[in-house]
Amino acid sequence: MHIMEGFLPVKHAIGWGLVTLPFLGYGCTRLAKQMKGDSGTKLMLGASGGFTFILSSLKIPSVTGSCSHPTGTGLGAIVFGPGVAIVMGFVVLVFQALLLAHGGLTTLGANTFSMAIVGSYVAYGVFHLGQSLHISPKISVFFAASLADLATYITTSWQLALAFPDPVSGYLGAAVKFMGIFAVTQIPLAISEGLLTVLVLNLLSQNAPDSLRATLPFTKEA
Amino acid sequence: MKKQNLLLLIAVIVIAVIPLVFIHPTQDAEIFTGSDDQAESMITQIQPDYQPWFQPFWEPPSGEIESLLFALQAAIGAGAIGYVIGVFRGRKQAKGTTA
């Protein structure tokens, strides 16, 4: 989902940057609010950020014969809401843009939009939809994290299609081409991301202090 | 719960290994390249005259250095999660012995 440095036209780069700013501002206020919480909350923030760091660094082979990576934004969005997860995703993207030449500063807005913003809101929305339909928390978390992962890559495909419409088949044709690269490759990885999110939330919930019972999805039912 | 965690872990490993087992390199095509790079070549295919207008300030000078930094990224994340689970467990145990 990383659009490489300089690979979005100037107008698109600036546009996505502007769209992203208010979300980042909102995220920072949400994060500042959580940072005032007890030490259990702060530790949980560290673990959610760590999860985004690990998952977005793992390039995993897929059935299409290419490699891609999960995003890790679902966990933070489910536990703390989308605002906090947006900031975490943004920090990872800055790390990768500056140190790994993966993504870039000119594409930071677009990449933040797809991975941090769309990913976080999809995870949050799907999880709460599952909860309101009385689907088990574990199944809800699995679908929330998987669909957030997939939605991120579909967003990237559309971002590229808007910037580089196909001369023959237009925006839709280009989107299909980019989704052929991103979305199909991502399906098994999205499943893995869902499973890993359930696994790590299991481990955290088993050991979490009572003060986090209301925040963690798997401790409520116990 | 332990059994469930083990099953989840095995499933993730199986999903990652299946492509490695069933997809083999052919003479004319590289396999398991990054999807980000493939998208980049698709851009140049759709719009051959597109020139990237900005270059990264710094690029890892070799694949080795790049993998070092990716490993560092994963290590930071794993360290954080391991630390948090450890602190949670320790606190729970300490509470159990005093109560």
Side-chain angles (χ1 to χ4, degrees), chain A residues 1 49 79 170:
Chain A
M1 48 67 56
V79 176

Side-chain angles (χ1 to χ4, degrees), chain A residues 11-24 108-110 113 117:
Chain A
K11 275 183 193 163
H12 289 255
I14 295 172
W16 289 114
L18 290 176
V19 171
T20 301
L21 276 178
F23 288 98
L24 271 177
L108 192 57
F113 186 81
I117 297 173

